[in-house]
Amino acid sequence: MALAATKFASTPEAFSPALIARIAERARDTRAVAIAGIFHAGSGHPGGSLSCADILATLYAAELNIDAANPMDAARDRFILSKGHAAPALYGIWAAMGLMKQSEAVRLRKLGSRAQGHPHVLDMPLAETSTGSLGQGFSVAIGMALGLRLQKNAARVYALLGDGEIQEGEVWEGAMCAAHHRLSNLCTIIDYNKLQSDDRNANIMGLEPLADKWRAFGWHVQEIDGHDITALLAALKTAADCGDQPSVIIAHTIKGKGVSYMEDVPQWHGSVKLTRAQADDAFAALGLPATTLDAMLEGAMEVRHG
Amino acid sequence: MANAAPQLIGTSGDSLREAFGKALAAAAQEKTNVVVLDADIAGGTGVHHFRKAHPDRFFQFGIAEQNMMAAAGGMAATGLVPVVTTFAVFCLRAVEQARLSIAYTKRNVKIVASHPGLDVGPDGGSAQSLEDMAAFRAIPGMTVISPADPTEMALATRAVLDFKGPVYMRTGRSPSENVYGPDHRFEIGKGHVLRDGSDVTLIACGVEVARARDAAILLEAEGISARVVNMATIKPIDVALVARCARETGAIVTAEDHNIYGGLGSAVAEALAQTHPCPVEFVGVNDVFGESGEPQELAEHFRLTAPFIAAAARRAMARKRA
Ligand SMILES: Cc1ncc(C[n+]2csc(CCOP(=O)(O)OP(=O)(O)O)c2C)c(N)n1
Ligand SMILES: [Mg+2]
């Protein structure tokens, strides 16, 4: 497949500073749209949206062979946001990549909006499936990996899971299943931000030793800093070429990353209502003026659906 | 500093989940065999009150509802009274565990589900449970309850703890209207006539009780006398009261924040079919999924508000005369 072959291969300039800067910019825009949407909605999950922005930006800007001119091409790589409550970030990266109108992405959680509280495939086909019930997106990804392989489609399947999410038994049923079926076309990324809904993972239900668990289930395992774009690029490249195993990237992240007052604070999981002052502070932390927020909100107000 | 602390939604108001959480913590003071099971959403279900008051009897299961549900059956087998809590939609995920390890085995477990129906609001269709009462009603031996307001929620919480047997009870996310004063009585299996009337009966549960009451006021302005019944116990349904309302008013409207199939409307229609058949109109979500929006907005969009209940009453009365 042409696109797949050119995607991030071994040339040193593939990891050029220009590329990394472009991904970082997409990540910043992802965070900005997510914050604007959550402020506009008056509810939503900021912490887990911010922690995965660098992962999403790296995937969409450099790894997935999704063509904005023909996004639903049968040969496209599939990405599933299994931690569906991070929908504001998914809409954010789509807006940054020209896959969704920014105004629609910011018009989050409103009646009639395509930016539903959790991704819904009937509103946004690129969501690939509807998520919001933790664990299920991962299983759907496994089904897609099996289906694509059977039909000799070289597209790869990527699923992003929360660390709390992997407490679901379904995830370990899937982990066993994917290894049994040698799904080398499946790459799972865990947003390991150490927090979940009510508290730290360690206080809710400990996950460690996490890498050993996945290894024992038959997976190829990498552990990286999930905010280091170079590390993300390298890990995704390795994951695409690791024999006949499914691959998991355990990405160590900080919940709320990029907005200092949210970083590593469990209460910013959701569902929270942002004040205008908080939204302004968040934009300032991202290096964006409040006028950018105003422009985004204005755009969202103008969206008409029908 | 503006950004010091996040503003949490709905945890301070008089929502049914908060009323439940407070009543549970208070009742457990003397009921020392009550334990609570949580799947990482105690802050959302109201059981954070119990966790604070009785930390030694609070069990964290993580985001793993199926294990939690069946484990509740196991704890009941040792003589405890487990209260297992999560959002209504995630109770659906563990229906089979509830069926086998709680109902089939006759375990004294109380399943208390927050965030039912469109009342969930902006989280959207994936999170709005419109099927839970149907699913749990179909399980043999399962009592199904959906209280109307914070006062009744507190009474029902005590009642289900006193009751022996498996129960599925809905709470609610949004701040709730008050329907009752402090002298209200609640009894499992008994409907309550909130307002008398002779032309038509509006039978509702949960958030729809306040809307049915408002519909009766709208109808009164047109000279229609509507009786309002709060049917907080959906199973076993109060057959005698349903039949009496049919005999005395000749037309019935049911109203619920649930699919029109399988919940309160179906239970009422089943009771009528075997006692005193009469015209029935169903107000509920018309066999579709919900979507994001504010609860009141969604109630209007999906036709659950008082004007729609009043319109259904007129339709039912017209059929009575036909
Ligand atoms: C099956 C299921 N149970 C419970 C929830 C409610 N819930 C939404 S997000 C969340 C915490 C998720 O934590 P994690 O996976 O670590 O996500 P992140 O920290 O990345 O936000 C919970 C419990 C859910 N969405 N699905
Ligand atoms: Mg987490």
Side-chain angles (χ1 to χ4, degrees):
Chain A
M1 194 176 358
L3 269 166
T6 54
K7 93 185 162 191
F8 255 37
S10 44
T11 48
E13 63 267 37
F15 286 59
S16 72
L19 173 71
I20 290 167
R22 196 168 73 238
I23 294 173
E25 195 183 320
R26 300 266 189 275
R28 186 202 57 189
D29 293 347
T30 297
R31 290 185 165 97
V33 168
I35 292 291
I38 291 168
F39 171 67
H40 184 57
S43 67
H45 299 78
S49 297
L50 295 169
S51 66
C52 67
D54 299 307
I55 297 167
L56 291 175
T58 307
L59 278 167
Y60 275 92
E63 179 73 10
L64 303 173
N65 69 335
I66 293 172
D67 175 6
N70 186 18
M72 297 311 289
D73 188 298
R76 73 188 180 284
D77 289 333
R78 271 62 168 177
F79 173 74
I80 293 178
L81 183 70
S82 195
K83 44 168 275 186
H85 58 282
L90 185 62
Y91 305 144
I93 187 61
W94 284 347
M97 298 300 297
L99 296 163
M100 182 180 195
K101 282 192 202 137
Q102 189 190 74
S103 54
E104 289 189 325
V106 176
R107 197 173 176 281
L108 181 71
R109 296 179 149 242
K110 300 286 184 191
L111 188 61
S113 170
R114 299 176 78 201
Q116 288 288 295
H118 293 81
H120 186 26
V121 68
L122 300 187
D123 287 307
M124 291 300 301
L126 211 48
E128 307 290 356
T129 188
S130 299
T131 54
S133 179
L134 296 168
Q136 295 197 37
F138 180 55
S139 297
V140 175
I142 289 167
M144 287 181 181
L146 284 165
L148 290 167
R149 186 177 68 183
L150 182 69
Q151 295 166 83
K152 311 227 176 330
N153 185 327
R156 290 177 54 74
V157 182
Y158 297 81
L160 179 62
L161 277 64
D163 46 13
E165 175 172 14
I166 63 180
Q167 290 161 354
E168 282 290 354
E170 177 174 9
V171 171
W172 300 100
E173 295 173 21
M176 219 182 304
C177 172
H180 176 82
H181 289 288
R182 302 181 181 286
L183 289 179
S184 56
N185 57 345
L186 176 68
C187 176
T188 297
I189 302 156
I190 297 171
D191 182 359
Y192 198 5
N193 58 27
K194 322 292 185 297
L195 301 181
Q196 47 193 99
S197 177
D198 257 3
D199 202 346
R200 304 193 168 271
N201 306 144
N203 296 334
I204 296 286
M205 185 66 55
L207 300 170
E208 289 293 342
L210 188 55
D212 288 347
K213 285 192 175 77
W214 287 92
R215 258 182 228 113
F217 272 70
W219 286 60
H220 177 271
V221 181
Q222 300 178 79
E223 276 194 85
I224 59 160
D225 173 349
H227 301 303
D228 177 343
I229 290 165
T230 308
L232 279 163
L233 287 168
L236 287 166
K237 186 168 169 305
T238 302
D241 188 22
C242 61
D244 64 354
Q245 287 177 297
S247 176
V248 61
I249 298 170
I250 300 175
H252 292 263
T253 58
I254 296 169
K255 201 154 173 171
K257 172 77 176 177
V259 177
S260 54
Y261 64 86
M262 291 188 185
E263 287 186 1
D264 202 38
V265 179
Q267 286 75 23
W268 286 106
H269 167 76
S271 210
V272 292
K273 199 182 182 88
L274 285 179
T275 64
R276 176 67 204 225
Q278 286 166 338
D280 283 342
D281 283 355
F283 268 63
L286 297 172
L288 295 167
T291 48
T292 309
L293 175 57
D294 287 327
M296 284 184 181
L297 296 172
E298 240 164 71
M301 302 294 274
E302 279 159 18
V303 177
R304 290 282 169 274
H305 48 89
Chain B
M1 182 75 184
N3 55 30
Q7 216 176 317
L8 299 173
I9 297 165
T11 47
S12 57
D14 245 345
S15 59
L16 297 189
R17 52 185 170 147
E18 281 291 296
F20 155 71
K22 289 176 191 160
L24 179 67
Q29 214 69 43
E30 77 225 27
K31 294 181 189 298
T32 53
N33 57 354
V34 170
V35 295
V36 166
L37 292 75
D38 169 46
D40 186 30
I41 37 178
T45 57
V47 298
H48 59 100
H49 293 292
F50 183 97
R51 178 176 58 191
K52 193 157 174 231
H54 315 286
D56 51 323
R57 287 189 269 151
F58 177 86
F59 294 87
Q60 181 55 259
F61 277 76
I63 310 173
E65 295 80 7
Q66 298 172 64
N67 180 52
M68 173 173 72
M69 193 68 83
M75 291 176 97
T78 72
L80 297 171
V81 181
V83 178
V84 45
T85 56
T86 181
F87 296 172
V89 77
F90 306 129
C91 290
L92 284 177
R93 190 187 189 105
V95 166
E96 207 258 326
Q97 279 78 8
R99 175 183 179 272
L100 185 80
S101 303
I102 294 176
Y104 188 57
T105 39
K106 285 201 163 53
R107 300 302 187 196
N108 190 22
V109 173
K110 318 303 166 187
I111 304 163
V112 182
S114 69
H115 295 62
L118 298 176
D119 180 61
V120 167
D123 273 354
S126 70
Q128 292 158 352
S129 173
L130 299 169
E131 308 85 2
D132 52 315
M133 294 201 291
F136 282 90
R137 197 168 75 88
I139 297 175
M142 186 67 72
T143 294
V144 178
I145 298 175
S146 175
D149 82 346
T151 301
E152 186 169 71
M153 189 76 240
L155 295 169
T157 301
R158 284 205 164 260
V160 302
L161 294 177
D162 290 336
F163 175 83
K164 211 161 166 49
V167 173
Y168 177 82
M169 182 163 72
R170 273 182 159 196
T171 67
R173 169 184 176 268
S174 306
S176 165
E177 276 204 51
N178 286 316
V179 175
Y180 290 116
D183 52 349
H184 179 54
R185 293 255 179 284
F186 172 82
E187 196 183 329
I188 294 175
K190 290 273 178 282
H192 178 252
V193 180
L194 193 64
R195 179 187 170 107
D196 209 0
S198 52
D199 295 330
V200 60
T201 304
L202 316 177
I203 302 179
C205 66
V207 291
E208 289 299 293
V209 173
R211 293 184 179 132
R213 177 203 60 195
D214 295 347
I217 295 167
L218 293 177
L219 291 165
E220 185 178 36
E222 302 169 19
I224 296 171
S225 163
R227 180 179 297 178
V228 179
V229 171
N230 168 21
M231 195 62 79
T233 308
I234 289 83
K235 181 187 174 185
I237 192 95
D238 189 343
V239 179
L241 178 59
V242 171
R244 179 157 72 81
C245 292
R247 259 195 328 272
E248 293 174 357
T249 69
I252 286 180
V253 174
T254 61
E256 61 198 307
D257 187 1
H258 188 272
N259 194 331
I260 52 168
Y261 296 132
L264 174 67
S266 300
V268 167
E270 289 158 13
L272 288 172
Q274 299 213 302
T275 54
H276 192 99
C278 77
V280 186
E281 291 287 328
F282 304 99
V283 173
V285 179
N286 204 351
D287 203 29
V288 292
F289 291 102
E291 61 171 291
S292 288
E294 291 308 315
Q296 184 60 24
E297 227 178 17
L298 291 169
E300 279 157 26
H301 183 77
F302 288 93
R303 311 170 82 89
L304 298 186
T305 52
F308 294 106
I309 299 173
R314 283 181 222 112
R315 287 199 305 275
M317 286 175 62
R319 286 172 53 204
K320 166 163 82 165
R321 286 188 290 271

